[in-house]
Amino acid sequence: MQPLNEKIVETDLSQDLLLKMNAYWRAANYLSVGQIYLHDNPLLREPLKPEHIKKMLLGHWGTTPGQNFIYVHLNRVIKKYDLNMIYISGPGHGGPALVGNTYLEGTYSEIYPEITQNEEGLKKLFTQFSFPGGIPSHVSPECPGSMHEGGELGYSLSHAFGAVFDNPDLIVACVIGDGEAETGPLATAWHSNKFLNPLTDGVVLPVLHLNGYKIANPTLFARIGNDELEELFKGYGWKPYLIEGEKPMEVHAKMAGLLDQVIKEIQLIKTTARENPDISRPRWPMIILKTPKGWTGPKTVNGLPVEGTFRAHQVPITDPATNDRHLKQLEEWLKSYKPEELFDNNGKLLPELQELAPVGERRMGANPHANGGAVSYDLILPEFSEYALELKNRGQVGPGDTFVLGSFIKDVIQLNSTQKNFRLFGPDETLSNKLNAVFEVTNRQWEGATIATDEFLKKQGRVMEVLSEHQCEGWLEGYTLTGRHGLFNCYEAFIHIIDSMFNQHAKWLKVTAELDWRKKLPSLNILLASHVWRQDHNGFTHQDPGFIDHVVNKKASVVRVYLPPDANCLLSVMSHCLQSRHYVNVVVAGKHPSPQWLNMDEAIVHCTKGIGIWKWASNDEGTEPDVVMACAGDVPTLETLAAVSILRERLPGLKIRVINIVDLMRLQPESEHPHGLSDQDFDALFTKSKPVIFAFHAYPWLIHRLTYRRTNHHNIHVRGYKEEGTITTPFDMTVLNQLDRFDLVQDVLNRLPQLSDKAAYLKEEMKDKLIAHRRYITTYGIDMPEVRDWTWPRSY
Amino acid sequence: MQPLNEKIVETDLSQDLLLKMNAYWRAANYLSVGQIYLHDNPLLREPLKPEHIKKMLLGHWGTTPGQNFIYVHLNRVIKKYDLNMIYISGPGHGGPALVGNTYLEGTYSEIYPEITQNEEGLKKLFTQFSFPGGIPSHVSPECPGSMHEGGELGYSLSHAFGAVFDNPDLIVACVIGDGEAETGPLATAWHSNKFLNPLTDGVVLPVLHLNGYKIANPTLFARIGNDELEELFKGYGWKPYLIEGEKPMEVHAKMAGLLDQVIKEIQLIKTTARENPDISRPRWPMIILKTPKGWTGPKTVNGLPVEGTFRAHQVPITDPATNDRHLKQLEEWLKSYKPEELFDNNGKLLPELQELAPVGERRMGANPHANGGAVSYDLILPEFSEYALELKNRGQVGPGDTFVLGSFIKDVIQLNSTQKNFRLFGPDETLSNKLNAVFEVTNRQWEGATIATDEFLKKQGRVMEVLSEHQCEGWLEGYTLTGRHGLFNCYEAFIHIIDSMFNQHAKWLKVTAELDWRKKLPSLNILLASHVWRQDHNGFTHQDPGFIDHVVNKKASVVRVYLPPDANCLLSVMSHCLQSRHYVNVVVAGKHPSPQWLNMDEAIVHCTKGIGIWKWASNDEGTEPDVVMACAGDVPTLETLAAVSILRERLPGLKIRVINIVDLMRLQPESEHPHGLSDQDFDALFTKSKPVIFAFHAYPWLIHRLTYRRTNHHNIHVRGYKEEGTITTPFDMTVLNQLDRFDLVQDVLNRLPQLSDKAAYLKEEMKDKLIAHRRYITTYGIDMPEVRDWTWPRSY
């Protein structure tokens, strides 16, 4: 194997143009250093003094000049080929680069008019960076053209692919740092090219920007040699081009030539696909760009090498305000960019340099795709009530709640097939989660090879399946960040794989909601089917309902959690979620045949309220009950109603109120969450003093965390998952965690002020039932008939 | 590029031996099918009847025959070359394969004597599988030889590398399914070969077992073509060998030849490394094995193809008990393995087949490395008190708590350099987290290329750094699962990346603790430096203290959370953690210079109790205080003491009790956690009726979740992180979340029954302070001097 030589494509650009591009780059670098260091004297009109330096120096220089370099070159090809392109900055700490470039191209001042195109504006631009009351050092929501902050590394490439699905004219230039390239999510994201349709999707142009170091260490990719680099990316299915260098004019020439080549290849692939939509998977070009970390920055500081080493990562000169020599060095560094040749007397970029940037929405800072709400169409939704299960009697067994939902989702796909703004994502669990119906109208999008026995694999499809929750979530995030809609269906336990991605997305939503110019994004919808209670067959590793604990830690304004108890409620909830904007909606639902409780009219009322008394199950007849039995989630609802049926038959004098909760946030105080019930309403439901037996889908203490301020909190006794499970029967899962009907009956009896003989007898009977259950399942391996075949309102 | 042809190495094995190996494989396959289907008639001594079939059919056939195939071939080379080898099963659902093979080799019956080597034992073996009261369908903790359950996919290869670090004679055969290979963590784990020292570490032999499908879909790796496969793995730095086939005897011959070749290559690399420890990074061999999914199972069922398709994933014939034709088909399938040629009249494997398995601890089911506690030595720990910061006065500013810890860790490394059983893991944050001292005695282990300006990179070292939290966690898990010790240091916000890995490890610990034959493992220790309150410089994306919420959802018996308030406490806590076994210990500590509160004697007492009154800060003098000010975490402790100093100076009549919490689990009821305080002790500390102002490191509601059952809970008012932050000053982070001293003083005053004029005036003054703070930081970008320079007991 020959080592990969640089793929140098001779450029036909004039030296004059390359020099101008270099000047533009110098301007961007100057602005970057200015942002990190200066709060005054932005054009160095006077000698640099300590008082011009910020008191706290924060920022990341290392990645910045390379990103400035890429930006100016992309600007050229955008103009030349009239490209519709956005820029994703994987090394998110390179904020100065993107802020600087969007300022130079004019978008920054359009969005933030106080940051004017003159010396005063420059001073403000510099001062606000990494400054209290100013802007973060990342490519944060505040930065025009950003749809990806990159504070946590790993997701740039997944976001890029999500952005180009169904955006056939869009090119996302995705800059990936060699630090980020070490992460797992990024490592598998390279395979996204097997899911991209060259005709109907856009293009991702990855630029692997190797500057050699992460924080204090060299990176793997910088030290494996060009031969392995080439093999790796060919193996990933790309056509890699590598250029490297440190002499600016040489690298400019190489990069310009290469970008012309790469854009032509992209255009050729697109043209070929238009002529023959069945072309086999193209090898899209990608660029590996090796330049020094902290390029053009100080070569050495205090005798230690800086440029081209890990020491260039953050602020290369740390003490210019207190060290004269270093102040001088900083001044020389700034002056090395020759600002006087770049900006006019007022501090505005010279017109001949301005000309290098694209105009209008072609500017990457102004491309509406990076402000996805601005190019977002509402979904056309079918009337969800038409998918209702007819309720002949309470407790009738339905075909599986998510199975019913499947038909609705199928029609969502169908109705939006023209505007192409809905996709379904999942780690190969669409069938397992019983959304089978969707395959009546669509397929899995797949650019890999196919064979005769395959099912539902096509070059175009609305279903995206890959065995990587990171990819599913990242693609969906990218898809919604560019204004489209989607649903991620996932096993409940394994959604924790993307806990951290959820965090970052929720933070993005919180901050963008506070920026007027950012338009509201479609919500990110997560359906957790295959939940904890029905992982009896997969065992303990598959049992974890804690994602919703994680979700409710984020800002109340952006998170919603729903636990529909049956299919009609699931339809109502999902329709609501798909219409909503700027939330993360988490819906937990069952996939197995299970009892149905509400007809569609009742379901609509119930889901609209989010919480309510189920009168038909209660016998308190509008009076104060003896006990409240609350439930949230399909299995807890089943066990609660089974317990109620026992109690009502055996102790008919006991007044029971049954409350079901669909919208978990209703439990919180109204001061804490916009969906929160008032204390008065809460008290009216849960009483001020009666025992509440609460059967909950997830970990029990979440209910306490949500209700600890409520009047009757000390009477709320919660059953939920307490981390007990294995391979067993479905009912035994509830028994292991004491959420089962026999334990719930005992819970009620234990909280009554005194027990009648009948009640005392019933309690003993419940214990016997549990013994009988254990004996039965360990003999037969299935649940005993009285449990398996139970239907409301039979007791047992 | 030529497509990768199979690398066929002619085998010199006799046809007789290959036929025996095939017979052994048939036996394993027979046992696998038996486990999935049968609860009686295990040797088919009578015609198969519906009553012999389990009532619930659970299991995963698809991956099983391939894993049986690999196992029998590994057995041969273990015997031939006397290898010290364990088997990691990435496709964890292949439980039947590993259970069956460990039964055949005899280890199963040694650990579970009731599962005898005869017909009765076979019946039990079959019945218990995926059965209530039996064993899970994964390669779970119950399975001998397993150190990796694989219920959640992605971590097999990281575990494998963790296992071989510092185990120079160990080979881990790591079987990776093509489903798992799509995950992010696995995709980057291939790069682990750049961190393996061929002399001092063992060997990982990956077997990428491509059977083509995940659940209902083909996999990427099965459809990208052999040319890309070869390039990809060469690019990852491996030497890939591919064999494929479906005719058993042909594939046996290929596999046998290949394994001889591969073992010889491994031995050559090891020998070369012994002769020349400086050899450049070897290209270790790996195997790509392509065989049909559900190999040897039914070709078709109901006219649909099964073998070699996704339909072979779980139970290929679903209804043999109720469908005669299918019962017949199952019987034919079972009989196709010719059990009568494999087992003697008693149901024991024939001696000539038994001979194929290794003996004693060479059996993969009996290798002690897979029961890591059995080969685990305690760490030699230095006396932590010798690293104490001398406390000259309360509140003196230390050099950074983790910086102090660094010297202790350095000596832990030094003292255990001979027994080589401690490593430090992190995503390139060892320096950033101020553990600099370790580099005085060790280096980062690194097999990549180096250049002159690199620091602390050597072919051997105790520090493992890669920019992948998944890798760090996975390596450390593998290291502790094989009995060694370690510490993972990580940014607090980004530890959520491994939420799901933590879940799975905590579940492993819970289940193994219940198995007598499993020996206790070293604890998995996580140090969260660079925590939420000091991410002022990195901004909102880096601020998330929610990992401890996540941790406390797992079984109380295996999780511990510590929040040492200063360096001496951190030393005490960490020394305790490094001695402990079978926990996940999470320690949150600061890295920046910050106030110190306790001398070492006090710290030892305080950390031993885990919670206590700080008398020197309180003025209640043993009487009932007017207010309790509680704090947990370094920054909350600082703000609490600053608030106390204001209150004590300005309102000297107010009786304040200061409580500091190191061990968070002390707050829970003793019924909920072994560290929980009794109600009596809790009441004695927090009073039964006085206001408690609690300044907490993380999300405030966690304190409510832990204390909601306590007498005085309704008086506990918690301040913590409420998801407000950006780039700002350190003190402003507390202000944004109202955890600052000025807000805490107001919190106290708001809860007093009535305010004196002085108190009312103080309250207004606090508001003014907050206004002054805002003005100061937005002008100067740093905190105002009275905050920056504050030291106890000065007020302000």
Side-chain angles (χ1 to χ4, degrees), chain A residues 501-515:
Chain A
M501 299 180 77
F502 158 80
N503 278 350
Q504 297 299 329
H505 191 72
K507 283 172 180 279
W508 181 273
L509 291 179
K510 185 216 172 215
V511 178
T512 50
E514 294 162 359
L515 296 168

Side-chain angles (χ1 to χ4, degrees), chain B residues 510-749:
Chain B
K510 183 212 173 221
V511 178
T512 50
E514 295 162 359
L515 297 168
D516 282 346
W517 64 274
R518 288 269 182 194
K519 304 303 175 200
K520 292 279 181 290
L521 297 170
S523 296
L524 193 147
N525 301 303
I526 297 176
L527 172 65
L528 302 179
S530 305
H531 62 57
V532 56
W533 300 108
R534 296 309 305 273
Q535 285 295 341
D536 45 287
H537 64 300
N538 275 322
F540 193 42
T541 58
H542 286 52
Q543 297 161 1
D544 187 302
F547 185 64
I548 59 181
D549 295 69
H550 180 71
V551 165
V552 298
N553 272 345
K554 286 288 161 287
K555 266 298 175 205
S557 54
V558 299
V559 294
R560 302 287 182 268
V561 177
Y562 299 97
L563 296 151
D566 70 4
N568 288 341
C569 291
L570 174 59
L571 286 166
S572 172
V573 162
M574 188 57 75
S575 176
H576 172 76
C577 293
L578 292 179
Q579 292 173 67
S580 72
R581 285 191 176 254
H582 232 68
Y583 301 139
V584 177
N585 296 307
V586 180
V587 181
V588 187
K591 67 182 183 180
H592 292 283
S594 63
Q596 303 297 305
W597 309 108
L598 303 184
N599 67 38
M600 188 44 97
D601 287 344
E602 292 167 337
I604 292 171
V605 172
H606 185 50
C607 294
T608 306
K609 286 190 184 162
I611 185 170
I613 297 172
W614 281 5
K615 287 200 176 137
W616 52 268
S618 312
N619 65 347
D620 58 336
E621 312 284 344
T623 65
E624 177 97 342
D626 299 314
V627 62
V628 175
M629 298 196 68
C631 47
D634 62 343
V635 168
T637 300
L638 164 60
E639 291 308 313
T640 293
L641 289 176
V644 167
S645 73
I646 295 170
L647 286 164
R648 286 185 58 182
E649 182 183 295
R650 302 293 296 276
L651 304 173
L654 185 71
K655 285 191 293 177
I656 302 172
R657 174 180 297 172
V658 177
I659 295 178
N660 184 273
I661 296 96
V662 177
D663 176 353
L664 197 63
M665 299 296 97
R666 298 294 274 165
L667 295 177
Q668 280 201 297
E670 56 188 340
S671 57
E672 297 289 314
H673 195 284
H675 287 194
L677 282 181
S678 71
D679 280 337
Q680 201 178 3
D681 289 347
F682 190 93
D683 291 350
L685 285 172
F686 289 91
T687 80
K688 290 188 174 181
S689 61
K690 294 300 188 226
V692 178
I693 307 299
F694 197 131
F696 181 47
H697 172 81
Y699 293 106
W701 30 83
L702 178 53
I703 297 302
H704 292 294
R705 166 224 192 289
L706 297 173
T707 61
Y708 66 83
R709 291 193 187 167
R710 302 296 193 176
T711 317
N712 198 28
H713 172 254
H714 62 287
N715 279 320
I716 300 182
H717 175 75
V718 190
R719 293 294 184 183
Y721 186 68
K722 50 183 188 179
E723 203 64 17
E724 291 295 337
T726 181
I727 294 233
T728 186
T729 67
F731 180 67
D732 193 44
M733 280 300 301
T734 67
V735 174
L736 290 174
N737 294 282
Q738 297 184 277
L739 181 91
D740 64 284
R741 57 199 68 179
F742 305 128
D743 269 299
L744 293 178
V745 168
Q746 290 183 70
D747 285 339
V748 170
L749 298 176

